[in-house]
Amino acid sequence: MGSVAARVAELTGREVSAVASLGASHEWRLYRAELADGTPLFVKALPEEARGMDGLFRAEALGLDWLGRSFGSPVPEVAGWDDRTLALTWVEERPPGPEAAERFGHQLAAMHLAGADAFGASWDGYIGPLPLDNTPRSAWPEFYAEQRILPYLRRAADRGALTPADVRLVEKVVDALDHLAGDPEPPARIHGDLWSGNVMWQDDGATVVDPAAHGGHREADLAMLALFGLPYLDRVRDAYNDTAPLGAGWRARVPLHQLHPLLVHVCLFGAAYRTMVLETARAALRV
C-alpha cells in the first residue's frame, strides 16, 4: 500500500492520507486512495511482476481525456498516470432509474457526435489486457475486419477455443462486411468497451469507465450495451435517437457489432463464449 500511496502522491502532487485495496481486475490491482483533504480517488496499479502492458494506462488516460473533450461527456477525470499507475476521480454509483437512463442516452449521443478524425486513434489501444490496433483508417468495413475481427479470431483459434469450421463462419462475415455494414457513417467518438459493467449510474445520467476509446462506428457502443443487458436500455436508446437518430436497419446490425467483443471474450475466457460467437456470426449474416 505504501508504494501505491507514494506513486499517487507523486502523480497528483498532493498528500495521500489512506489507501484501501478493492481487489484486482485482470493483471492490475484496484485501490481507493484518499487525499489529505478528504478527496477520494480510484487507482489502478500494475504489480512489478506484470509485464508487457506498459502502454495500458497511457491508452486509458489518453482515451478518457479525448472522450472528456466532448460536450457533456460522461467520463471520470484523470488525476495522474504513468506506466504503472492510473489515478481517476472517484465515482459514487447510484441506483439506475428511467430519468437517469434518458439523460445517459443524450450524453452518449453527444459524445458520439463529437466525432473523430478517422476510424482508430493516434495511440495504441487496449481492450481489457489485450492490445488493440488503432491504426487510423478511412473506411469502417476495412477497419472492423482488419483491426477488430481478424486479430481476435486468429488469437482465439490459436488457443484452440475455435475450430477451423468456426473460423470459416466468422470469415464469411468479414467477406460480406461491405454489404452488412449499412450506409456509411462518419467516425464517432466511441467508448469501445461499453458493456453494462462499465456504466456507473448517477442521479443525472451515468459515468462510463474503462474505455477502449477510438474513432469507431457509433452502433458498436449501443450493441455492446445490449450484449449483457443494461437496465432501462430502451429508455437509453430512445433518448439517443432523439438526439442522433440511428441509421436504417440498425437493429439488424446489432449482432455484427457484438462479434468483436465476443471474440475478445473467447480470447480472454476460452470456449465458454464459443456458442455465442457462432450464433452471433449467423445472426449477422442474416441481414
Side-chain angles (χ1 to χ4, degrees), residues 97-147:
E99 292 182 0
E102 290 173 7
R103 170 63 177 154
F104 175 46
H106 294 305
Q107 289 174 306
L108 186 61
M111 188 174 80
H112 287 171
L113 290 173
D117 293 334
F119 294 102
S122 60
W123 57 86
D124 295 331
Y126 276 84
I127 184 162
L130 299 181
L132 194 65
D133 182 359
N134 279 338
T135 303
R137 291 183 186 255
S138 59
W140 182 78
E142 180 184 22
F143 172 78
Y144 194 57
E146 298 294 332
Q147 293 164 234

Side-chain angles (χ1 to χ4, degrees), residues 45-271:
L46 282 169
E48 292 302 321
E49 61 269 19
R51 294 288 181 267
M53 290 183 290
D54 287 347
L56 178 75
F57 294 147
R58 177 179 185 271
E60 184 167 349
L62 293 178
L64 285 169
D65 177 72
W66 183 65
L67 294 176
R69 282 183 256 141
S70 61
F71 177 74
S73 179
V75 296
E77 294 182 10
V78 178
W81 67 275
D82 61 18
D83 282 344
R84 311 302 291 181
T85 312
L86 174 67
L88 307 172
T89 54
W90 182 266
V91 178
E92 196 68 47
E93 192 168 16
R94 306 296 185 192
E99 292 182 0
E102 290 173 7
R103 170 63 177 154
F104 175 46
H106 294 305
Q107 289 174 306
L108 186 61
M111 188 174 80
H112 287 171
L113 290 173
D117 293 334
F119 294 102
S122 60
W123 57 86
D124 295 331
Y126 276 84
I127 184 162
L130 299 181
L132 194 65
D133 182 359
N134 279 338
T135 303
R137 291 183 186 255
S138 59
W140 182 78
E142 180 184 22
F143 172 78
Y144 194 57
E146 298 294 332
Q147 293 164 234
R148 293 299 182 264
I149 296 296
L150 292 176
Y152 304 96
L153 180 63
R154 296 187 195 105
R155 184 186 286 260
D158 288 346
R159 67 172 295 179
L162 295 178
T163 70
D166 300 339
V167 170
R168 287 193 293 273
L169 174 62
V170 176
E171 288 175 339
K172 289 181 181 179
V173 178
V174 172
D175 292 341
L177 265 173
D178 285 338
H179 165 67
L180 300 175
D183 294 334
E185 292 240 356
R189 190 166 301 210
I190 72 169
H191 178 282
D193 191 13
L194 197 57
W195 71 289
S196 57
N198 285 341
V199 177
M200 301 187 70
W201 291 101
Q202 308 292 289
D203 291 334
D204 59 349
T207 297
V208 294
V209 299
D210 294 342
H214 63 278
H217 200 302
R218 62 198 182 109
E219 291 175 10
D221 275 350
L222 292 162
M224 188 67 167
L225 288 174
L227 185 56
F228 299 114
L230 180 81
Y232 303 104
L233 179 58
D234 287 345
R235 296 280 191 118
V236 173
R237 283 193 299 224
D238 288 348
Y240 184 100
N241 259 314
D242 287 344
T243 301
L246 290 162
W250 69 266
R251 289 184 185 275
R253 290 189 294 273
V254 168
L256 177 65
H257 293 287
Q258 291 177 338
L259 195 53
H260 167 241
L262 284 172
L263 284 168
V264 169
H265 274 68
V266 172
C267 293
L268 291 175
F269 307 114

